[in-house]
Amino acid sequence: MTQTPSSATDRITRALADLDQFGQRNAWIHVAEHSELMQAATQVDAAVADGEDLPLAGMVIAVKDNIDVAGMPTTCASPGASYTPDQDATSVQLLRAAGAVILGKTNMDQFATGLVGVRSPYGIPVSVLDPELVSGGSSSGSAVAVAQGIVDAALGTDTAGSGRVPAAFNAIVGIKPTLGLVSTSGVVPASPSYDAVTVFAADLSTAELVLAQIAHPDPADPRSRRWDSRAPLAAPAAPVYGVPTSQALEPMSASWRSAFESSVAALTDAGMRVVEVDITPLLGAAKLLYDGALIAERTAAFGTLLDREPHTVDPTVAGIVRTGEGKSAVELANNQFELARVRALLGEVWSEIDALILPTAPGHPSVAEVRADPVAVNSWVGTYTNFVNLLDLSAMAVPGIAPVGVTLIGPAFADRALLDLALHVQHVCTGRPSSSGGATGHPSTWLPENASIAVFG
Amino acid sequence: MTQTPSSATDRITRALADLDQFGQRNAWIHVAEHSELMQAATQVDAAVADGEDLPLAGMVIAVKDNIDVAGMPTTCASPGASYTPDQDATSVQLLRAAGAVILGKTNMDQFATGLVGVRSPYGIPVSVLDPELVSGGSSSGSAVAVAQGIVDAALGTDTAGSGRVPAAFNAIVGIKPTLGLVSTSGVVPASPSYDAVTVFAADLSTAELVLAQIAHPDPADPRSRRWDSRAPLAAPAAPVYGVPTSQALEPMSASWRSAFESSVAALTDAGMRVVEVDITPLLGAAKLLYDGALIAERTAAFGTLLDREPHTVDPTVAGIVRTGEGKSAVELANNQFELARVRALLGEVWSEIDALILPTAPGHPSVAEVRADPVAVNSWVGTYTNFVNLLDLSAMAVPGIAPVGVTLIGPAFADRALLDLALHVQHVCTGRPSSSGGATGHPSTWLPENASIAVFG
């Protein structure tokens, strides 16, 4: 749990001291100037002294380097593509309005293309659990900065697992909200129909508090959505969990598979209702991301960069993006029809279970393994995450029984119910507290309530 | 207004007599057997005698031939592609459950590709207003059958204007509901992301009554949507109408432009607030349908038919569908991004006006004009309709001051408010009654209420 700091200035002073002591570990691309940070913190403290209610006062937050922070360069881990925005992304603006201080911008797989965290010219931010192992990506630096305790929370982005895999590989939590709940205005697009802004934190209550500030309709984002007023605001008293069949776990490494099976056993031992679900259609949808034409969205979002400045793009990333150039519009349309079909199939699944519990990744590769086969290992890492945004699902990654990370998955707008379920699952697997709130000094907040009183329109 | 018939058997007897007397005028591809119709009508009469509440009892309805009716061939105006379904489309099932008798299947532009009504091997169902002029399409037969008074209402479909243009060209009303409100399960896809089932009737109250029966969430349709509980259920007391600038009317024929300008003048004379809106971005989005890669959805929906059975496809239709084959996935993705951008732009427009009023078509071409230049004239006809579904809008086509037809356009889920506005506009322009309900013997119903009590899940 995050400790409530005495003041924003104390907290930022501690964050800077921690950075000095523990090092940046390749997690950072840009850290704000000391004087600017102290000025921002002083303003927060003054506002609090004036009686302003700032839910994030005293919190220091990191921002992935594909999300604009005014006055700091946005590089997407490509120095050649760097620009310095004069306006915050909507999500960052909301964080600041709620009293957070932004420490800086974090490292990432270039252009958010990757799930491993090694595709960056700014170095490899390895896992805090084992320096031989990757941190996961693409939100590598954000997860590491949170896991180190330098910051209280960090923003990431997630198209195919970038906000969940790094949480699993650093034993923290990662919330991948329903598409459109958090504005992507001011975020460099990866695959715009499927991009989400995510929150990393050491615990769910902190992540929830941060998410509640930034989940807000935004006219500047064409894909912004309002909270569905029919969505459940809590989990049912006797939830039913769906788990994959044994066959669907075959891609897993031995240690992660064993830990996942132990996690599921712990749930049934704790009296929770667990039913097997055939996730074959989901894994099939995931394959469209690499084998189909959906990659063309990423190619389109790249625009002419590959032709104009090929030297600025990592060769692995360039290779992936180039594959979209040869795809036909008819194949893309057919892939989109197929996603709609699987989405409809899932409707029946959600009538039988409250959440699907999957391993967040099939295993945790080393840096050496990724280097030996960068595309195939990356693809393997995304086995259980790739399909989530394609199918408009909500997801929450939490630690399971070590070393596995587990993700709870629900339909769009199940976010609030998933939080209850994630607290439960995490409690059973790790002994962490099973209720949220309290530690930050603010009552537990959530989207609908917050949306109606937020300061930003 | 539809007259309340004494019974379903009386009504179907009259419909068959009218068909005999006035002729089918190429409006029909299949008319049900006399014995089957009488049996269906007898069942309805018996149910009513038993006290069942059947809102559509005594109504005879036609169904466009790309919508499945069990036991009748679905041809899409291509005899070679014909099949006979053993199940009703969801919309047809709901019509029957509400007491309607389905008279038969109506002619259409083949595969719903066209806005003119001449692209069919089953003949040309010309306009009831003037036999030299086209009926409009693709729902040509449905509109003509309603305008002739043979049926009380008819189902059409609409991807780029097929449920609105034929209403305008036959001086009836056509409701194009928000995408997903009416299930497209059992409808042959044209461009699935943008296909809607529509309702034609002589007056708005009849159309509303029919729509209320079929607007229902359907798990079988991946694109089905529930009514947005925040959507307005009525128009505001002092609505504001948006009208196009004079420049945007330049494509219009002289007689239709003059009638449209008179219609707008009548609104202002009646004290309604009218503001000019720049619809350039909408007209730009419409161009993507023909000049961009969006056509690839239609090509994909066609599947392998063009290669397997090229002789079954009208040459003009084949030419249009073939253009999708050469488009790239990147162009399609970019077109979809552009639609999302324009949709976001429109958000501001809807905060200033309650509905946009546009001519339904720029003019009313003759059969000879269409034959002389089938693609260009068709494209011109769709000037003010093509963009509506691409941008997820709701629309209602009603007669303006003759000869023009006008369409009221609003955001998704503005359907209920548009109905109030359409009644007003129609009243001012044509002197028709300005309130709905009563004539059919049933109170005015609408989507949210009906959705909760409907018999079909």
Coordinates of all heavy atoms in Angstrom, one line a residue, chain A residues 191-193 219-223 226-231 293 296-301 324-325 327-334 336-337 340-341 343-344, chain B residues 191-193 219-223 226-231 293 296-301 324-325 327-334 336-337 340-341 343-344:
Chain A
S191 N -2.7 1.6 -32.6 CA -3.7 1.0 -33.5 C -5.0 1.6 -32.9 O -5.6 1.0 -32.0 CB -3.6 -0.5 -33.4 OG -4.5 -1.1 -34.3
P192 N -5.4 2.8 -33.4 CA -6.4 3.6 -32.7 C -7.7 3.0 -32.2 O -8.2 3.3 -31.2 CB -6.6 4.8 -33.7 CG -5.4 4.8 -34.5 CD -4.9 3.4 -34.7
S193 N -8.2 2.0 -33.0 CA -9.4 1.4 -32.6 C -9.3 0.6 -31.3 O -10.3 0.2 -30.7 CB -10.0 0.5 -33.7 OG -10.1 1.2 -34.9
P219 N -14.6 15.1 -25.5 CA -15.0 15.4 -26.9 C -13.8 15.4 -27.8 O -14.0 15.2 -29.0 CB -15.7 16.8 -26.8 CG -15.8 17.1 -25.3 CD -14.9 16.2 -24.6
A220 N -12.6 15.6 -27.3 CA -11.5 15.6 -28.2 C -11.0 14.2 -28.7 O -10.2 14.1 -29.6 CB -10.3 16.3 -27.5
D221 N -11.6 13.2 -28.1 CA -11.2 11.8 -28.5 C -12.4 11.2 -29.2 O -13.4 10.9 -28.6 CB -10.9 11.0 -27.2 CG -10.6 9.5 -27.6 OD1 -10.6 9.2 -28.8 OD2 -10.4 8.7 -26.6
P222 N -12.3 10.9 -30.5 CA -13.4 10.4 -31.2 C -13.9 9.0 -30.7 O -15.0 8.7 -31.0 CB -12.9 10.2 -32.7 CG -11.5 10.7 -32.7 CD -11.1 11.1 -31.3
R223 N -13.1 8.3 -29.9 CA -13.5 7.0 -29.5 C -13.8 7.0 -28.0 O -14.0 6.0 -27.3 CB -12.4 6.0 -29.7 CG -12.2 5.8 -31.3 CD -11.0 4.9 -31.6 NE -10.8 4.9 -33.1 CZ -10.2 5.8 -33.8 NH1 -9.6 6.9 -33.2 NH2 -10.1 5.7 -35.1
R226 N -19.0 7.2 -22.8 CA -19.5 7.4 -21.4 C -19.7 6.1 -20.7 O -20.0 5.1 -21.4 CB -20.8 8.2 -21.5 CG -20.5 9.7 -21.9 CD -21.8 10.5 -21.8 NE -22.8 10.0 -22.7 CZ -24.0 10.5 -22.8 NH1 -24.3 11.6 -22.0 NH2 -24.9 10.1 -23.6
W227 N -19.6 6.1 -19.4 CA -19.9 4.9 -18.6 C -21.3 4.4 -19.0 O -22.3 5.2 -19.1 CB -19.8 5.2 -17.1 CG -20.1 4.0 -16.3 CD1 -21.2 3.8 -15.6 CD2 -19.1 3.0 -16.0 NE1 -21.1 2.6 -14.9 CE2 -19.8 2.1 -15.1 CE3 -17.8 2.7 -16.3 CZ2 -19.2 0.9 -14.6 CZ3 -17.2 1.6 -15.8 CH2 -17.9 0.7 -15.0
D228 N -21.4 3.1 -19.2 CA -22.7 2.5 -19.5 C -23.5 2.4 -18.2 O -23.2 1.7 -17.2 CB -22.5 1.1 -20.0 CG -23.8 0.4 -20.4 OD1 -24.9 0.8 -19.9 OD2 -23.8 -0.6 -21.2
S229 N -24.6 3.2 -18.1 CA -25.4 3.3 -16.9 C -26.0 2.0 -16.4 O -26.4 1.8 -15.3 CB -26.5 4.4 -17.0 OG -27.3 4.1 -18.1
R230 N -26.0 1.0 -17.3 CA -26.5 -0.4 -16.9 C -25.4 -1.3 -16.4 O -25.7 -2.4 -16.0 CB -27.3 -1.0 -18.1 CG -28.7 -0.6 -18.2 CD -29.3 -1.1 -19.5 NE -28.5 -0.6 -20.6 CZ -29.0 0.0 -21.7 NH1 -30.3 0.0 -21.9 NH2 -28.3 0.4 -22.7
A231 N -24.2 -0.8 -16.5 CA -23.1 -1.7 -16.1 C -23.1 -1.9 -14.6 O -23.4 -1.0 -13.8 CB -21.8 -1.1 -16.5
A293 N -4.9 -8.9 -41.2 CA -4.7 -7.6 -41.8 C -4.9 -6.5 -40.7 O -4.8 -5.3 -41.0 CB -5.7 -7.4 -42.9
A296 N -2.6 -3.5 -40.3 CA -2.7 -2.3 -41.2 C -3.1 -1.1 -40.4 O -2.7 0.1 -40.9 CB -3.6 -2.6 -42.3
E297 N -3.8 -1.2 -39.3 CA -4.1 0.0 -38.5 C -2.9 0.6 -38.0 O -2.7 1.9 -37.9 CB -5.0 -0.4 -37.4 CG -6.5 -0.2 -37.6 CD -7.3 0.3 -36.4 OE1 -6.6 0.7 -35.4 OE2 -8.5 0.3 -36.5
R298 N -2.0 -0.2 -37.6 CA -0.7 0.3 -37.0 C 0.1 0.9 -38.2 O 0.7 2.0 -38.0 CB 0.1 -0.9 -36.4 CG 1.1 -0.5 -35.3 CD 1.7 -1.7 -34.7 NE 0.9 -2.3 -33.7 CZ 1.0 -2.1 -32.4 NH1 1.9 -1.3 -31.9 NH2 0.2 -2.7 -31.5
T299 N 0.1 0.3 -39.3 CA 0.8 0.8 -40.5 C 0.2 2.2 -40.8 O 1.0 3.1 -41.1 CB 0.7 -0.1 -41.7 OG1 0.9 -1.5 -41.2 CG2 1.7 0.2 -42.8
A300 N -1.1 2.3 -40.8 CA -1.8 3.6 -41.1 C -1.4 4.6 -40.1 O -1.1 5.8 -40.5 CB -3.3 3.3 -41.2
A301 N -1.4 4.2 -38.8 CA -1.1 5.2 -37.8 C 0.4 5.7 -37.9 O 0.7 6.8 -37.6 CB -1.3 4.6 -36.4
G324 N 1.9 -4.7 -42.8 CA 0.6 -4.1 -43.0 C 0.4 -3.6 -44.4 O -0.7 -3.4 -44.9
E325 N 1.6 -3.3 -45.0 CA 1.5 -2.6 -46.4 C 1.0 -3.5 -47.4 O 0.4 -3.1 -48.4 CB 2.9 -2.1 -46.8 CG 3.3 -0.9 -45.9 CD 4.8 -0.5 -46.1 OE1 5.5 -1.2 -46.9 OE2 5.2 0.5 -45.5
K327 N -1.3 -5.9 -47.1 CA -2.7 -6.5 -46.8 C -3.7 -5.8 -47.6 O -3.6 -4.6 -47.9 CB -3.0 -6.3 -45.3 CG -1.9 -7.0 -44.4 CD -2.0 -8.5 -44.5 CE -1.0 -9.1 -43.6 NZ -0.9 -10.6 -43.7
S328 N -4.8 -6.5 -47.9 CA -5.9 -5.9 -48.7 C -7.0 -5.4 -47.8 O -7.2 -5.9 -46.7 CB -6.4 -7.0 -49.7 OG -7.3 -7.9 -49.0
A329 N -7.7 -4.5 -48.3 CA -8.9 -3.9 -47.6 C -9.9 -5.0 -47.4 O -10.6 -5.0 -46.3 CB -9.5 -2.8 -48.4
V330 N -10.1 -5.9 -48.3 CA -11.1 -7.0 -48.2 C -10.7 -7.9 -47.0 O -11.5 -8.3 -46.2 CB -11.2 -7.8 -49.5 CG1 -12.1 -9.0 -49.3 CG2 -11.8 -6.9 -50.6
E331 N -9.4 -8.2 -46.9 CA -9.0 -9.0 -45.7 C -9.2 -8.3 -44.4 O -9.7 -8.9 -43.4 CB -7.5 -9.4 -45.9 CG -7.1 -10.4 -44.8 CD -5.6 -10.8 -44.9 OE1 -4.9 -10.4 -45.8 OE2 -5.1 -11.6 -44.0
L332 N -8.9 -7.0 -44.4 CA -9.2 -6.3 -43.1 C -10.7 -6.3 -42.8 O -11.0 -6.5 -41.6 CB -8.6 -4.8 -43.3 CG -8.9 -3.9 -42.1 CD1 -8.4 -4.5 -40.8 CD2 -8.3 -2.5 -42.3
A333 N -11.5 -6.0 -43.8 CA -12.9 -6.1 -43.6 C -13.4 -7.4 -43.0 O -14.1 -7.5 -42.1 CB -13.7 -5.7 -44.8
N334 N -12.8 -8.5 -43.6 CA -13.2 -9.8 -43.2 C -12.7 -10.1 -41.7 O -13.4 -10.7 -40.9 CB -12.6 -10.9 -44.1 CG -13.5 -11.2 -45.3 OD1 -14.8 -11.2 -45.1 ND2 -13.0 -11.3 -46.5
Q336 N -12.4 -7.8 -39.5 CA -13.3 -7.0 -38.6 C -14.6 -7.7 -38.4 O -15.2 -7.8 -37.3 CB -13.4 -5.6 -39.1 CG -12.1 -4.8 -39.0 CD -12.2 -3.5 -39.7 OE1 -13.0 -3.2 -40.6 NE2 -11.3 -2.6 -39.4
F337 N -15.1 -8.4 -39.5 CA -16.4 -9.2 -39.4 C -16.1 -10.3 -38.4 O -17.0 -10.6 -37.5 CB -16.8 -9.8 -40.7 CG -17.1 -8.8 -41.8 CD1 -17.2 -9.3 -43.1 CD2 -17.3 -7.5 -41.6 CE1 -17.5 -8.4 -44.2 CE2 -17.6 -6.6 -42.6 CZ -17.7 -7.1 -43.9
A340 N -16.3 -9.2 -34.9 CA -17.7 -8.9 -34.5 C -18.4 -10.3 -34.1 O -19.2 -10.4 -33.2 CB -18.5 -8.2 -35.6
R341 N -18.1 -11.3 -34.9 CA -18.7 -12.6 -34.7 C -18.3 -13.2 -33.3 O -19.1 -13.6 -32.6 CB -18.3 -13.5 -35.8 CG -19.1 -14.8 -35.9 CD -18.5 -15.8 -36.9 NE -17.2 -16.3 -36.5 CZ -17.0 -17.3 -35.7 NH1 -18.0 -17.9 -35.2 NH2 -15.7 -17.7 -35.4
R343 N -17.1 -11.5 -30.8 CA -17.7 -10.6 -29.7 C -19.1 -11.1 -29.4 O -19.5 -11.2 -28.2 CB -17.8 -9.2 -30.2 CG -17.0 -8.2 -29.4 CD -17.0 -6.8 -30.0 NE -15.8 -6.5 -30.7 CZ -15.7 -5.9 -31.9 NH1 -16.8 -5.5 -32.6 NH2 -14.5 -5.7 -32.5
A344 N -19.9 -11.5 -30.4 CA -21.3 -11.9 -30.2 C -21.3 -13.3 -29.5 O -22.1 -13.5 -28.6 CB -22.0 -12.0 -31.5
Chain B
S191 N -23.0 -4.1 -46.3 CA -21.8 -3.5 -45.8 C -22.0 -3.6 -44.3 O -22.5 -2.6 -43.7 CB -21.5 -2.1 -46.3 OG -20.2 -1.7 -46.0
P192 N -21.7 -4.7 -43.6 CA -22.3 -5.0 -42.3 C -22.1 -3.9 -41.2 O -23.0 -3.8 -40.4 CB -21.6 -6.3 -41.9 CG -21.2 -6.9 -43.2 CD -20.9 -5.8 -44.1
S193 N -21.0 -3.2 -41.3 CA -20.9 -2.2 -40.2 C -21.9 -1.1 -40.3 O -22.1 -0.3 -39.4 CB -19.5 -1.6 -40.3 OG -18.5 -2.6 -40.2
P219 N -29.2 -11.0 -29.4 CA -27.8 -11.6 -29.2 C -27.3 -12.3 -30.5 O -26.1 -12.5 -30.6 CB -28.1 -12.7 -28.1 CG -29.4 -12.5 -27.6 CD -30.2 -11.7 -28.5
A220 N -28.2 -12.6 -31.4 CA -27.8 -13.2 -32.7 C -27.1 -12.2 -33.6 O -26.5 -12.6 -34.6 CB -29.0 -13.9 -33.4
D221 N -27.3 -10.9 -33.4 CA -26.7 -9.9 -34.2 C -25.5 -9.3 -33.5 O -25.7 -8.6 -32.5 CB -27.7 -8.8 -34.5 CG -27.1 -7.7 -35.3 OD1 -25.9 -7.7 -35.7 OD2 -27.9 -6.7 -35.6
P222 N -24.3 -9.5 -34.0 CA -23.1 -8.9 -33.3 C -23.1 -7.4 -33.1 O -22.4 -6.9 -32.3 CB -21.9 -9.4 -34.2 CG -22.4 -10.2 -35.3 CD -23.9 -10.2 -35.2
R223 N -23.9 -6.8 -34.0 CA -23.9 -5.3 -33.9 C -25.2 -4.7 -33.3 O -25.4 -3.5 -33.4 CB -23.7 -4.7 -35.4 CG -22.3 -5.1 -35.9 CD -22.2 -4.7 -37.4 NE -20.9 -5.2 -37.9 CZ -20.7 -6.4 -38.3 NH1 -21.6 -7.3 -38.3 NH2 -19.5 -6.8 -38.7
R226 N -28.4 -1.9 -27.3 CA -29.5 -1.5 -26.5 C -29.7 0.0 -26.6 O -28.8 0.7 -26.8 CB -29.3 -2.0 -25.1 CG -29.3 -3.5 -24.9 CD -29.2 -3.9 -23.5 NE -28.0 -3.5 -22.9 CZ -27.6 -3.7 -21.7 NH1 -28.5 -4.3 -20.8 NH2 -26.5 -3.3 -21.2
W227 N -31.0 0.4 -26.4 CA -31.3 1.8 -26.3 C -30.5 2.5 -25.3 O -30.3 2.0 -24.2 CB -32.8 2.0 -26.0 CG -33.2 3.4 -26.0 CD1 -33.5 4.1 -24.8 CD2 -33.5 4.2 -27.1 NE1 -33.9 5.4 -25.2 CE2 -33.9 5.5 -26.6 CE3 -33.5 4.0 -28.5 CZ2 -34.3 6.5 -27.4 CZ3 -33.9 5.1 -29.3 CH2 -34.3 6.3 -28.8
D228 N -29.9 3.6 -25.6 CA -29.1 4.4 -24.7 C -30.0 5.1 -23.7 O -30.8 6.0 -24.1 CB -28.3 5.5 -25.5 CG -27.4 6.3 -24.6 OD1 -27.6 6.3 -23.4 OD2 -26.5 6.9 -25.1
S229 N -29.9 4.7 -22.4 CA -30.8 5.2 -21.5 C -30.7 6.7 -21.2 O -31.6 7.3 -20.6 CB -30.6 4.5 -20.1 OG -29.3 4.6 -19.7
R230 N -29.6 7.3 -21.7 CA -29.5 8.8 -21.6 C -30.1 9.5 -22.8 O -30.1 10.8 -22.8 CB -28.1 9.2 -21.4 CG -27.6 9.1 -20.0 CD -26.1 9.3 -19.9 NE -25.5 8.2 -20.7 CZ -24.4 7.5 -20.3 NH1 -23.9 7.7 -19.1 NH2 -23.9 6.6 -21.0
A231 N -30.5 8.8 -23.8 CA -31.0 9.4 -25.0 C -32.4 10.1 -24.7 O -33.2 9.6 -23.9 CB -31.2 8.4 -26.1
A293 N -11.8 3.3 -49.6 CA -11.7 1.8 -49.5 C -12.9 1.2 -48.8 O -12.9 0.0 -48.6 CB -10.4 1.5 -48.8
A296 N -14.7 -1.9 -49.8 CA -14.2 -3.3 -49.6 C -15.0 -4.1 -48.6 O -15.0 -5.3 -48.7 CB -12.7 -3.2 -49.0
E297 N -15.8 -3.4 -47.7 CA -16.7 -4.2 -46.8 C -17.8 -4.9 -47.7 O -18.2 -6.0 -47.4 CB -17.4 -3.2 -45.9 CG -16.8 -3.1 -44.6 CD -17.8 -3.0 -43.4 OE1 -19.0 -3.2 -43.6 OE2 -17.3 -2.7 -42.3
R298 N -18.2 -4.2 -48.7 CA -19.2 -4.8 -49.6 C -18.6 -5.9 -50.4 O -19.2 -7.0 -50.5 CB -19.8 -3.7 -50.5 CG -21.2 -4.0 -51.1 CD -21.7 -2.8 -51.9 NE -22.2 -1.7 -51.1 CZ -23.5 -1.5 -50.8 NH1 -24.4 -2.3 -51.4 NH2 -23.8 -0.5 -50.1
T299 N -17.4 -5.7 -50.8 CA -16.7 -6.8 -51.6 C -16.5 -8.0 -50.7 O -16.7 -9.1 -51.1 CB -15.3 -6.2 -52.0 OG1 -15.5 -4.9 -52.6 CG2 -14.7 -7.2 -53.1
A300 N -16.1 -7.7 -49.4 CA -15.9 -8.8 -48.5 C -17.3 -9.6 -48.2 O -17.3 -10.8 -48.1 CB -15.3 -8.3 -47.1
A301 N -18.4 -8.8 -48.1 CA -19.7 -9.4 -47.8 C -20.1 -10.3 -49.0 O -20.8 -11.3 -48.8 CB -20.7 -8.3 -47.5
G324 N -13.6 -2.8 -54.9 CA -13.1 -3.0 -53.5 C -11.9 -4.0 -53.5 O -11.1 -4.0 -52.6
E325 N -11.7 -4.7 -54.6 CA -10.7 -5.7 -54.6 C -9.3 -5.1 -54.7 O -8.3 -5.7 -54.2 CB -10.9 -6.7 -55.8 CG -12.1 -7.6 -55.7 CD -12.4 -8.4 -56.9 OE1 -11.7 -8.2 -57.9 OE2 -13.3 -9.2 -56.9
K327 N -8.3 -2.3 -53.3 CA -8.0 -1.4 -52.2 C -7.1 -2.0 -51.1 O -7.2 -3.2 -50.9 CB -9.3 -0.9 -51.5 CG -10.3 -0.3 -52.5 CD -9.8 1.1 -53.0 CE -10.8 1.7 -53.9 NZ -10.4 3.0 -54.4
S328 N -6.3 -1.2 -50.5 CA -5.4 -1.7 -49.5 C -6.0 -1.6 -48.1 O -6.8 -0.7 -47.8 CB -4.1 -0.9 -49.5 OG -4.2 0.3 -48.9
A329 N -5.5 -2.4 -47.2 CA -6.0 -2.4 -45.8 C -5.6 -1.1 -45.2 O -6.3 -0.5 -44.3 CB -5.4 -3.6 -45.0
V330 N -4.4 -0.5 -45.5 CA -4.0 0.7 -44.9 C -5.0 1.9 -45.3 O -5.3 2.7 -44.5 CB -2.6 1.1 -45.4 CG1 -2.2 2.5 -44.9 CG2 -1.6 0.1 -44.7
E331 N -5.4 1.9 -46.6 CA -6.4 2.9 -47.0 C -7.7 2.7 -46.2 O -8.3 3.7 -45.8 CB -6.6 2.8 -48.5 CG -7.5 4.0 -49.0 CD -7.8 4.0 -50.5 OE1 -7.2 3.1 -51.2 OE2 -8.6 4.8 -51.0
L332 N -8.2 1.5 -46.1 CA -9.4 1.3 -45.3 C -9.2 1.7 -43.9 O -10.1 2.4 -43.3 CB -9.8 -0.2 -45.4 CG -11.0 -0.6 -44.5 CD1 -12.2 0.2 -44.9 CD2 -11.3 -2.1 -44.7
A333 N -8.1 1.4 -43.3 CA -7.9 1.9 -41.9 C -7.9 3.4 -41.8 O -8.5 4.0 -40.9 CB -6.6 1.3 -41.4
N334 N -7.2 4.0 -42.8 CA -7.2 5.5 -42.8 C -8.6 6.1 -43.0 O -9.0 7.1 -42.4 CB -6.3 6.0 -43.9 CG -4.8 6.1 -43.4 OD1 -4.6 6.5 -42.3 ND2 -3.9 5.7 -44.2
Q336 N -11.4 4.7 -42.0 CA -12.1 4.5 -40.8 C -11.7 5.5 -39.7 O -12.5 6.0 -39.0 CB -11.9 3.1 -40.3 CG -12.6 2.0 -41.2 CD -12.3 0.6 -40.8 OE1 -11.3 0.3 -40.2 NE2 -13.1 -0.3 -41.3
F337 N -10.4 5.8 -39.7 CA -9.9 6.9 -38.8 C -10.6 8.2 -39.2 O -11.0 9.0 -38.3 CB -8.4 7.1 -39.0 CG -7.5 6.0 -38.6 CD1 -6.2 6.0 -38.9 CD2 -8.0 4.9 -37.9 CE1 -5.3 4.9 -38.6 CE2 -7.2 3.8 -37.6 CZ -5.8 3.9 -37.9
A340 N -14.1 8.4 -37.9 CA -14.1 8.6 -36.4 C -13.8 10.1 -36.1 O -14.4 10.7 -35.2 CB -13.0 7.8 -35.7
R341 N -12.9 10.7 -36.9 CA -12.6 12.1 -36.8 C -13.9 13.0 -37.0 O -14.2 13.9 -36.3 CB -11.5 12.5 -37.7 CG -10.9 13.9 -37.4 CD -9.9 14.3 -38.5 NE -10.5 14.5 -39.8 CZ -11.1 15.7 -40.1 NH1 -11.1 16.7 -39.3 NH2 -11.7 15.8 -41.3
R343 N -17.0 12.0 -37.0 CA -18.0 11.8 -35.9 C -17.7 12.6 -34.7 O -18.7 13.2 -34.1 CB -17.9 10.3 -35.5 CG -19.1 9.5 -35.7 CD -18.8 8.0 -35.4 NE -18.6 7.2 -36.5 CZ -17.8 6.2 -36.7 NH1 -16.9 5.9 -35.7 NH2 -17.7 5.5 -37.8
A344 N -16.4 12.8 -34.3 CA -16.1 13.6 -33.2 C -16.4 15.1 -33.4 O -17.0 15.8 -32.6 CB -14.6 13.5 -32.8

